[in-house]
């Protein structure tokens, strides 16, 4: 399918690994020039080199999107190099199992800055450039755990807020031909689940299994398809929503979850 994205400029946050990396790579495969950011410089630069091998232009900028000044610098450098921003993928985030009474306030506030206020600030900074083109796509990576509880107290609450912000922003920008949607991943094979100390191992400790065993057990218990997804499963949905093939879709929160969400909306 021709997505018509060749020559567009896409900015992807949290793009040094996992879902963000896959989104940047797939958008590049569709012909986008991409700007990627992350906090870790080494992984970011490695990702940039891999994407450049596909023949598109890549700009890698070390940034923490929990910090408004980093976001302003990120957007300024993007516009300095490319003169435009067509697609924004708000992906940066993290999560862990947490006890509501024990989660430190400072951790909750940082995650709010990273995954909610960072989404707002990135959007605010790119909107003027999209308005100049009378074309734009803002795609927020939320989660199915923004629709139903998942045991990550801060993460679940923040991702629910991202969905509502998506819907409000979509209505606000509809007249500008800027489409705003959220993608809600279910469990995906990324470091959030698979890395040492992350969700797989955390669940494993609760049920008496190793991390990999717990990941497999969780999938069989909760996902109708019986397995976790891959980052590319999210990236392909992002590329579709970025394209003119999705020109009548805005304000939606689309599940990519192997059938895990059971609610009718």
């Amino acid at each position: 399918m021709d997505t018509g994205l060749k020559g567009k400029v896409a900015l992807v946050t949290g793009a040094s690994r996992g879902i963000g990396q896959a989104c940047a790579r797939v958008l590049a495969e569709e012909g986008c020039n991409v700007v990627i950011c992350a906090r870790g410089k080494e992984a970011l630069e490695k990702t940039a080199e891999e994407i450049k091998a596909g023949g598109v232009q890549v700009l890698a900028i070390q940034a923490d999107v929990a910090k408004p000044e980093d976001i302003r610098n990120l957007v300024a450098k993007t516009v300095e190099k490319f003169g435009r921003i067509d697609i924004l993928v708000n992906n940066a985030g993290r999560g862990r199992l947490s006890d509501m009474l024990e989660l430190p306030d400072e951790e909750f506030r940082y995650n709010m800055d990273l995954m909610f206020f960072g989404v707002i600030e990135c959007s605010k900074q790119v909107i003027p450039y999209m308005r100049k083109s009378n074309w734009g796509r803002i795609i927020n990576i939320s989660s199915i755990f923004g629709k139903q509880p998942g045991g990550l107290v801060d993460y679940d609450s923040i991702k629910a807020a991202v969905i509502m912000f998506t819907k409000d922003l979509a209505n606000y920008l509809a007249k500008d031909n800027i489409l705003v949607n959220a993608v809600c991943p279910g469990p995906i094979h990324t470091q959030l689940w698979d890395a040492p100390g992350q969700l797989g191992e955390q669940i494993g400790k609760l049920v008496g299994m190793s991390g990999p065993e717990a990941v497999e057990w969780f999938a069989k218990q909760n996902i109708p398809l019986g397995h976790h997804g891959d980052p590319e499963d999210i990236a392909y949905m992002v590329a579709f929503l970025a394209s003119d093939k999705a020109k009548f879709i805005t304000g939606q929160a689309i599940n990519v979850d192997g059938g895990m969400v059971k609610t009718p909306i």
Side-chain angles (χ1 to χ4, degrees):
M1 180 174 67
D2 180 11
T3 58
L5 292 175
K6 187 174 182 179
K8 299 288 189 185
V9 175
L11 193 166
V12 184
T13 69
S16 63
R17 62 188 185 185
I19 289 172
Q21 184 185 74
C23 289
R25 186 172 62 250
V26 169
L27 288 169
E29 289 171 356
E30 295 299 324
C32 290
N33 297 312
V34 296
V35 180
I36 58 174
C37 78
R39 288 172 293 180
K41 184 178 180 180
E42 184 176 345
L44 184 67
E45 291 180 347
K46 181 180 179 182
T47 296
E49 290 304 315
E50 291 172 354
I51 296 173
K52 282 179 185 177
V56 299
Q57 296 185 67
V58 182
L59 177 63
I61 300 172
Q62 189 175 12
D64 181 351
V65 296
K67 300 177 180 178
E69 61 273 21
D70 280 18
I71 294 172
R72 291 191 288 269
N73 178 63
L74 171 66
V75 171
K77 287 186 175 179
T78 299
V79 174
E80 181 181 349
K81 180 172 180 61
F82 293 110
R84 59 191 291 176
I85 301 174
D86 302 298
I87 300 159
L88 169 65
V89 181
N90 283 309
N91 166 76
R94 64 181 192 174
R96 68 181 181 91
L97 289 175
S98 52
D99 185 291
M100 188 177 299
L101 298 181
E102 296 180 2
L103 179 69
D105 288 348
E106 58 271 22
E107 182 177 342
F108 201 143
R109 289 192 175 98
Y110 176 80
N111 288 339
M112 196 73 160
D113 286 338
L114 175 67
M115 294 186 283
F116 185 60
F117 290 112
V119 168
I120 295 173
E121 186 63 27
C122 284
S123 300
K124 287 169 66 175
Q125 290 295 321
V126 305
I127 286 168
Y129 301 101
M130 293 179 175
R131 278 177 163 165
K132 286 181 181 179
S133 302
N134 193 41
W135 195 99
R137 302 288 188 267
I138 297 174
I139 302 163
N140 300 321
I141 305 301
S142 180
S143 171
I144 61 166
F145 298 123
K147 296 184 175 186
Q148 62 186 31
L152 291 75
V153 177
D154 52 342
Y155 184 91
D156 297 356
S157 302
I158 293 165
K159 292 302 189 179
V162 168
I163 291 173
M164 188 55 67
F165 175 70
T166 298
K167 291 179 176 291
D168 280 327
L169 189 63
N171 289 341
Y172 178 72
L173 294 174
K175 65 183 182 300
D176 300 301
N177 195 36
I178 299 171
L179 309 185
V180 187
N181 290 289
V183 177
C184 298
I188 303 294
H189 278 299
T190 66
Q191 288 199 336
L192 178 65
W193 279 88
D194 298 335
Q198 295 302 306
L199 290 178
E201 284 195 2
Q202 290 171 33
I203 293 172
K205 289 179 180 179
L206 296 176
V207 297
M209 298 178 181
S210 69
E213 288 172 338
V215 169
E216 185 175 350
W217 171 84
F218 181 92
K220 289 180 178 178
Q221 292 292 316
N222 295 283
I223 306 171
L225 288 183
H227 61 85
H228 282 50
D230 297 316
E232 290 74 18
D233 295 322
I234 308 305
Y236 293 135
M237 177 59 73
V238 167
F240 170 70
L241 291 172
S243 76
D244 276 335
K245 303 298 182 183
K247 63 183 177 61
F248 201 53
I249 301 174
T250 195
Q252 303 306 303
I254 301 171
N255 302 333
V256 183
D257 68 345
M260 189 169 170
V261 171
K262 305 301 189 295
T263 60
I265 56 173

